[in-house]
């Protein structure tokens, strides 16, 4: 599947075999009621499905990696061979099928539209500025605004292709498969996401999670569901014995099951099991002051005008919770949220060069930024370039720690970022901080 596009008949046969295996009731045969269609089983887990792969789309995502390599590794032997044969005067994105193509080329070319959907140019030479006169001659006002929103001079790098669906800028099969499912509606929305996310985060054995999932999707052999499948129920006598002939609804069944779950948890604790029933949160819910003479800086970014502008809020506080210095910065460029958060960290590190505090703890509520800073993976995207700047600056500052906090512990920085629209490029102390921000500082102190 990395090189060949499987015929649809083969993909469908494999999916049918997987579906039979999932629903079969015993190891000896493939009998079992198919309570849910395979397409719905392929929905994302946070969308009510089981997250099984649609093999056709997964196949295309794997083939997309070959196309990506032709674009980003033009000097490799395979890239040079395909270029000489099929697109001598262009690149993979504008290549044609050609005459008498091989099956490998036919297969890889099927992923061309997928790559065209996700590939972008990263502008980063640092020598570019927009020529307003040429823009006025060639483009309408709407297009001029969009062009000027492209970030320039954010980082020093060369112009290059990046994969826009991944923060690292590098193509991955996972990030290519997700957009294909979103176009089909097989992903998840914000409403359903809350319920299913909490359900899958329950610290339960896999079998019990599976049982809850089946119950929530009406995939259990209850009397009503069996009748919809034209299967007569044979458990009437036992149901009467258990429920004493009382009418019941699904919530009653769940409550009945959770009573046994509580007993199971108690048994696990009493047996001194090492399996964690409930785990403590990795980070605190509220802001806490640093120790001794240390300084804690909270930073946050807020996006305005559908991503065309963003504000940064940076708040430095001492061990008694008092404001040492606060900064707000308002920038008119169009970037993703993760890039704006990373720029916030970079601004804080630049700020630290002016203030030689003995020990500094930087907190941000963007987990992907913290993970990227502590990761050794090279990232070619704009996000990765900013992260690399942060790593370089951190290497020269041996008294700085960057960590993740929850949004509830980063409220003040968030309000400073929101206020950056009113106070662009503002630096304030405890005596000069705006009144509306002073009130949130006082309410946030936890000494």
């Amino acid at each position: 599947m990395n090189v060949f596009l499987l015929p649809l008949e083969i993909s469908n046969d494999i999916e049918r075999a997987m579906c039979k295996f999932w629903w079969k009731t015993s190891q000896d045969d493939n009998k079992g009621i198919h309570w849910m269609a395979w397409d719905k089983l392929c929905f994302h887990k946070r969308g009510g499905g089981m997250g099984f792969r649609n093999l056709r789309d997964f196949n295309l995502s794997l083939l997309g990696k070959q196309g990506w390599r032709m674009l980003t590794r033009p000097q490799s032997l395979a890239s040079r061979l395909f270029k000489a044969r099929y697109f001598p005067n262009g690149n993979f994105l504008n290549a044609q099928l050609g005459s008498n193509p091989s099956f490998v080329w036919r297969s890889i070319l099927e992923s061309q539209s997928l790559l065209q959907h996700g590939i972008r140019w990263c502008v980063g030479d640092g020598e570019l500025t927009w020529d307003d006169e040429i823009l006025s001659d060639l483009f309408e006002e709407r297009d001029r605004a969009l062009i000027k929103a492209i970030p320039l001079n954010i980082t020093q790098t060369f112009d290059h292709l990046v994969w826009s669906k991944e923060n690292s800028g590098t193509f991955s099969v996972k990030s290519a498969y997700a957009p294909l499912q979103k176009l089909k509606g097989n992903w998840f929305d914000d409403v359903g996401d809350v319920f299913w996310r909490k359900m899958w985060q329950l610290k339960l054995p896999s079998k019990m999670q599976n049982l809850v999932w089946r119950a929530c999707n009406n995939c259990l052999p209850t009397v009503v569901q069996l009748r919809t499948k034209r299967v007569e129920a044979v458990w009437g006598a036992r149901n009467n014995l258990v429920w004493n002939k009382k009418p019941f609804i699904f919530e009653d069944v769940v409550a009945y099951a959770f009573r046994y779950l509580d007993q199971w948890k108690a048994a696990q604790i009493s047996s001194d099991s090492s399996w964690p029933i409930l785990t403590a949160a990795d980070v605190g819910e509220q802001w806490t002051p640093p120790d001794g003479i240390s300084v804690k800086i909270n930073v946050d970014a807020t996006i305005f005008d559908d991503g065309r502008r963003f504000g940064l809020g940076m708040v430095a506080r001492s061990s008694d919770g008092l404001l040492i210095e606060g900064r707000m910065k308002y920038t008119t460029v169009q970037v993703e949220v993760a890039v704006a958060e990373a720029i916030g960290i970079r601004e804080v590190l630049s700020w630290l060069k002016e203030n030689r505090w003995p020990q500094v703890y930087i907190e941000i509520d963007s987990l992907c930024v913290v993970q990227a800073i502590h990761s050794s993976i090279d990232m070619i995207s704009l996000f990765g370039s900013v992260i690399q700047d942060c790593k370089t600056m951190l290497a020269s500052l041996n008294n700085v720690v960057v960590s993740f906090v929850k949004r509830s512990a980063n409220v003040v920085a968030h309000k400073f970022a929101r206020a950056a629209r009113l106070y662009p490029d503002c630096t304030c102390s405890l005596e000069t901080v705006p009144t509306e921000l002073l009130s949130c500082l006082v309410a946030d102190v936890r000494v």
Side-chain angles (χ1 to χ4, degrees), residues 290-323:
D291 297 328
I293 58 174
S294 301
V295 174
K296 179 174 287 188
I297 301 178
N298 290 78
V299 57
D300 196 21
T302 297
I303 300 296
F304 301 108
D305 301 332
D306 298 326
R308 293 190 294 274
R309 297 170 179 83
F310 69 91
L312 295 176
M314 297 162 276
V315 183
R317 284 175 283 184
S318 61
S319 58
D320 54 9
L322 295 179
L323 177 69

Side-chain angles (χ1 to χ4, degrees), residues 211-245:
L211 175 66
V212 175
W213 174 83
R214 293 190 183 216
C216 294
N217 280 294
N218 294 321
C219 293
L220 289 177
T222 61
V223 174
V224 174
Q225 295 302 318
L226 286 171
R227 284 175 179 170
T228 62
K229 297 291 185 180
R230 301 183 182 278
V231 178
E232 292 296 330
V234 295
W235 297 100
R238 180 166 178 79
N239 287 338
N240 289 336
L241 180 63
V242 173
W243 295 98
N244 196 23
K245 298 183 180 181

Side-chain angles (χ1 to χ4, degrees), residues 410-423:
N410 210 36
V411 174
V412 174
H414 178 69
K415 291 188 176 181
F416 268 68
R418 296 286 300 176
R421 200 167 193 172
L422 300 175
Y423 308 98

Side-chain angles (χ1 to χ4, degrees), residues 28 46 66 69 133 190 254 287 377 402 447:
D28 301 327
R46 285 161 63 177
Q66 309 304 328
R69 286 172 175 167
E133 184 176 346
D190 295 335
V254 173
W287 183 85
I377 299 175
V402 180
V447 181

Side-chain angles (χ1 to χ4, degrees), residues 178-371:
L180 291 174
Q181 301 313 296
K182 290 177 182 178
L183 290 174
K184 293 181 175 180
N186 291 0
W187 215 237
F188 57 89
D189 54 41
D190 295 335
V191 178
D193 170 38
V194 176
F195 171 79
W196 291 111
R197 178 166 50 84
K198 289 184 177 179
M199 195 280 283
W200 289 114
Q201 287 176 347
L202 292 174
K203 301 297 182 181
L204 301 174
S206 298
K207 285 187 176 181
M208 192 168 294
Q209 283 186 329
N210 182 25
L211 175 66
V212 175
W213 174 83
R214 293 190 183 216
C216 294
N217 280 294
N218 294 321
C219 293
L220 289 177
T222 61
V223 174
V224 174
Q225 295 302 318
L226 286 171
R227 284 175 179 170
T228 62
K229 297 291 185 180
R230 301 183 182 278
V231 178
E232 292 296 330
V234 295
W235 297 100
R238 180 166 178 79
N239 287 338
N240 289 336
L241 180 63
V242 173
W243 295 98
N244 196 23
K245 298 183 180 181
K246 295 178 181 178
F248 63 89
I249 57 177
F250 174 69
E251 285 78 5
D252 296 329
V253 180
V254 173
Y256 188 75
F258 269 87
R259 283 201 296 272
Y260 283 101
L261 175 61
D262 291 336
Q263 296 175 13
W264 177 81
K265 285 183 178 180
Q268 292 292 310
I269 295 173
S270 63
S271 63
D272 194 25
S273 171
S274 60
W275 185 78
I277 304 298
L278 294 174
T279 57
D282 294 331
V283 292
E285 296 284 351
Q286 298 291 339
W287 183 85
T288 56
D291 297 328
I293 58 174
S294 301
V295 174
K296 179 174 287 188
I297 301 178
N298 290 78
V299 57
D300 196 21
T302 297
I303 300 296
F304 301 108
D305 301 332
D306 298 326
R308 293 190 294 274
R309 297 170 179 83
F310 69 91
L312 295 176
M314 297 162 276
V315 183
R317 284 175 283 184
S318 61
S319 58
D320 54 9
L322 295 179
L323 177 69
I324 300 174
E325 191 170 295
R327 287 194 174 185
M328 289 165 276
K329 188 175 180 64
Y330 186 66
T331 306
T332 308
V333 294
Q334 185 167 357
V335 295
E336 300 291 333
V337 177
V339 177
E341 299 275 12
I343 292 174
I345 293 291
R346 191 176 66 179
E347 289 292 330
V348 170
L349 295 175
S350 298
W351 180 18
L352 292 180
K353 291 183 178 180
E354 305 170 10
N355 300 278
R356 293 294 180 180
W357 290 311
Q359 180 66 46
V360 178
Y361 297 94
I362 302 175
E363 293 183 341
I364 189 171
D365 58 22
S366 176
L367 182 59
C368 68
V369 171
V370 177
Q371 289 175 333

